[in-house]
Amino acid sequence: MAQLWGGRFTKETDKLVYNFNASISFDKKFYKQDMRGSMAHVKMLAKQGILTEEERDAILAGIEGILADVESGKLKITDEYEDIHSFVEAVLIDRIGDPGKKLHTGRSRNDQVALDMKLYTRDEITAIDGLVGDLLAVLLRLMKDNTETFMPGFTHLQKAQPITLAHHLGAYFEMFKRDRSRLHDIYERMNYCPLGSGALAGTTYPLDREYTAELLGFAGPTLNSMDSVSDRDYLIELLSALSTIMMHLSRFSEEIIIWNTNEYRFVEIDDAYSTGSSIMPQKKNPDIAELVRGKTGRVYGALMSLLTTMKGLPLAYNKDMQEDKELTFDAFDTVKGCLALFTGMLDTMKFNKAVMEESAKKGFTNATDAADYLVNHGVPFRDAHGIIGRLVLYCIEQNKAIEELSLEELKTISPVFENDIYEAVSMETCVNKRLTLGAPGKAAMEQVIALNEKWMEEHPVLEEK
Ligand code: ARG
């Protein structure tokens, strides 16, 4: 009885260990990249005389068949294999026999998985770069349309000075532009091929690593076989760049959530991108923006998780590194989903321009300009600051904007005011006199829009290799 139970226990344990160790449930995600890497490896082996041309052709045809069958759904990637590498090799041997057994010549799963992950990551960077590019295009269109849409600019979430919607959106344009340039930098730095590094110490076969690197679109082979199989830096810096993208999306989402409140009503999110409440019929909730803000934590988590996984690992490969995959895949999918939905939401969002302008007027955002008016009429700035402070107090008591006071009222505060004060504190003047490069004035804004249009042309999105 005990023996029976014991035997059963051992089997169960074996199964648990097997499942704990296996990675196929998630590394099947890069089946395409795995087969692509194998095909390049086999071509190289034949070029170097390690395989015959017949063997090469048999293996290539075999892998192509497997790829086609997986894509069509005829062949299922099942959990009975430990990982995607074992799956492909086992099916290949099953289908073509002996030549299939030569596929793994001069290769280890360590350099194989390092390659697969890099190929997959490269494709993901390309996709994400394209999505950030789409967001930039929407932002640029909105900027062009709104160089005269006045709104309050905030500091401390208090109305500060008038700006335009183009200017506000332009701030995000700059952030996402930097995000794209970070993706490009990372791509360039990571684009070296680890294949041919073996388990950790290279191999005794005369492999041509330059050739496989070239076949797979890399800038060249990596230069240290130990580093090649244990480098995950590129994922860490990518997760950092993705965290920054999410942080930017989250800040933008937070603003949209505020702008969408009943109190602000600066924007109206399209029905397609909002949701209702099951109990409160009046509600139209900004769920997409909230979810983007919420999902930011997952991507930060992935970065922290991988940094922690890597920190104690001696060279070279350790199984801990298998943990790089699930969380990175989740981050890729999260960022892509958030970018696509956020861009759609922004593209279809209605801006209540009149409400925005009214809000800028009601918040004394022209107080600095009123002080500047006094300065231009000979009042020292510190005195002008005090006078306008008293003026604002008076306005609050009267529940009026500065420009709504009569000249007599203005003169009771300071005799320096003349009729041209109204022109000086109008929204148009306040905004359009701000003409330093990067400021909201229409001419300055148009200059920046033109520079950014040129930047877009000079920095096309990445293409799949
Ligand atoms: N599934 C493994 C990973 O993702 C593949 C490499 C296995 N190498 C090894 N020595 N067990 O890291």
Side-chain angles (χ1 to χ4, degrees):
M1 194 64 189
Q3 217 179 354
L4 232 185
W5 185 87
R8 188 182 156 76
F9 180 78
T10 305
K11 271 187 193 157
E12 283 290 312
T13 309
D14 284 350
K15 183 82 182 120
L16 285 176
V17 170
Y18 182 82
N19 289 344
F20 194 64
N21 195 48
S23 54
I24 192 144
S25 63
F26 47 89
D27 64 21
K28 64 181 169 198
K29 212 166 162 107
F30 51 52
Y31 70 87
K32 222 185 294 181
Q33 287 81 2
D34 186 76
M35 291 190 234
R36 188 179 168 199
S38 287
M39 291 200 269
H41 182 62
V42 162
K43 284 178 192 163
M44 182 275 296
L45 290 177
K47 184 179 91 65
Q48 298 302 94
I50 302 165
L51 292 184
T52 65
E53 289 184 358
E54 293 72 46
E55 287 167 334
R56 175 196 64 197
D57 294 344
I59 298 174
L60 290 180
I63 295 178
E64 263 156 23
I66 296 172
L67 186 57
D69 290 350
V70 170
E71 306 257 74
S72 72
K74 217 169 103 188
L75 178 63
K76 293 261 175 297
I77 304 174
T78 57
D79 284 359
E80 63 194 286
Y81 303 92
E82 182 190 336
D83 53 33
I84 188 65
H85 326 297
S86 320
F87 166 82
V88 174
E89 193 174 317
V91 178
L92 184 69
I93 293 169
D94 188 49
R95 288 187 175 189
I96 69 166
D98 279 349
K101 294 180 185 164
K102 297 191 174 180
L103 166 65
H104 210 49
T105 313
R107 190 173 68 172
S108 153
R109 274 187 302 174
N110 294 354
D111 61 342
Q112 186 178 2
V113 79
L115 172 69
D116 293 1
M117 195 62 184
K118 273 196 165 178
L119 289 174
Y120 187 81
T121 301
R122 245 177 28 178
D123 291 345
E124 291 299 295
I125 295 179
T126 303
I128 293 168
D129 185 52
L131 288 167
V132 183
D134 294 344
L135 174 55
L136 285 178
V138 170
L139 280 170
L140 201 59
R141 174 180 67 71
L142 289 170
M143 285 158 71
K144 281 194 205 162
D145 291 349
N146 290 288
T147 55
E148 288 174 292
T149 307
F150 302 117
M151 67 180 285
F154 297 82
T155 62
H156 314 272
L157 202 51
Q158 306 268 344
K159 292 177 193 176
Q161 289 175 341
I163 54 162
T164 63
L165 180 58
H167 192 240
H168 198 119
L169 297 177
Y172 285 103
F173 188 95
E174 298 302 321
M175 295 179 226
F176 292 116
K177 196 168 79 176
R178 289 194 294 275
D179 285 328
R180 279 199 56 214
S181 101
R182 262 185 285 274
L183 293 175
H184 285 229
D185 290 349
I186 293 165
Y187 188 106
E188 213 180 289
R189 215 170 3 260
M190 69 161 281
N191 198 26
Y192 292 87
C193 186
L195 190 61
S197 297
L200 77 161
T203 161
T204 53
Y205 296 96
L207 306 187
D208 183 345
R209 294 194 56 217
E210 271 87 7
Y211 183 66
T212 34
E214 195 189 313
L215 285 181
L216 295 166
F218 286 100
T222 51
L223 296 184
N224 181 290
S225 56
M226 302 243 294
D227 177 55
S228 307
V229 293
S230 55
D231 165 32
R232 299 294 182 275
D233 294 8
Y234 72 97
L235 293 176
I236 289 173
E237 64 173 333
L238 179 56
L239 288 172
S240 164
L242 298 185
S243 294
T244 307
I245 292 177
M246 288 306 294
M247 181 266 291
H248 290 154
L249 284 175
S250 186
R251 291 183 73 179
F252 205 166
S253 293
E254 172 67 11
E255 299 217 80
I256 288 170
I257 291 162
I258 293 172
W259 291 353
N260 184 63
T261 57
N262 293 332
E263 287 72 19
Y264 274 76
R265 290 193 304 111
F266 282 9
V267 298
E268 201 173 310
I269 299 172
D270 193 82
D271 281 356
Y273 288 91
S274 9
T275 47
S277 157
S278 59
I279 173 166
M280 297 165 282
Q282 82 282 15
K283 286 266 216 157
K284 206 173 130 183
N285 297 329
D287 288 36
I288 299 299
E290 290 173 12
L291 272 173
V292 170
R293 188 178 59 184
K295 284 176 188 289
T296 302
R298 289 167 75 137
V299 180
Y300 289 8
L303 171 62
M304 277 306 124
S305 175
L306 189 55
L307 277 169
T308 311
T309 296
M310 294 305 294
K311 75 180 265 291
L313 299 189
L315 289 176
Y317 178 84
N318 299 269
K319 187 77 171 190
D320 314 46
M321 290 173 181
Q322 179 167 293
E323 285 295 306
D324 64 354
K325 290 174 197 64
E326 285 163 287
L327 54 96
T328 306
F329 294 159
D330 182 70
F332 290 160
D333 292 343
T334 302
V335 172
K336 285 190 294 182
C338 288
L339 278 168
L341 281 164
F342 189 92
T343 301
M345 176 179 68
L346 187 68
D347 199 21
T348 52
M349 203 159 71
K350 195 175 145 259
F351 292 92
N352 295 328
K353 301 183 184 187
V355 177
M356 288 177 150
E357 181 165 350
E358 201 48 36
S359 168
K361 282 184 178 161
K362 278 281 139 59
F364 304 110
T365 57
N366 52 4
T368 316
D369 298 85
D372 288 344
Y373 172 90
L374 294 177
V375 171
N376 288 332
H377 290 74
V379 182
F381 180 77
R382 198 43 62 204
D383 294 341
H385 189 280
I387 294 168
I388 301 302
R390 288 199 294 282
L391 179 65
V392 167
L393 215 55
Y394 178 80
C395 286
I396 292 170
E397 280 162 20
Q398 303 293 315
N399 192 25
K400 282 181 178 169
I402 296 175
E403 61 277 18
E404 285 169 355
L405 299 180
S406 68
L407 190 57
E408 291 73 55
E409 285 175 296
L410 286 166
K411 275 189 178 294
T412 59
I413 309 263
S414 168
V416 179
F417 286 121
E418 293 300 340
N419 241 324
D420 56 352
I421 177 65
Y422 296 106
E423 160 82 49
V425 299
S426 76
M427 280 303 127
E428 286 83 349
T429 313
C430 292
V431 169
N432 288 332
K433 271 171 73 177
R434 291 187 149 78
L435 290 174
T436 40
L437 185 65
K442 189 165 192 269
M445 198 65 229
E446 277 167 354
Q447 197 184 344
V448 165
I449 289 173
L451 286 171
N452 277 329
E453 266 179 334
K454 192 153 164 269
W455 186 90
M456 296 271 271
E457 274 165 31
E458 287 168 357
H459 297 83
V461 293
L462 293 166
E463 273 173 42
E464 237 181 76
K465 282 226 179 98

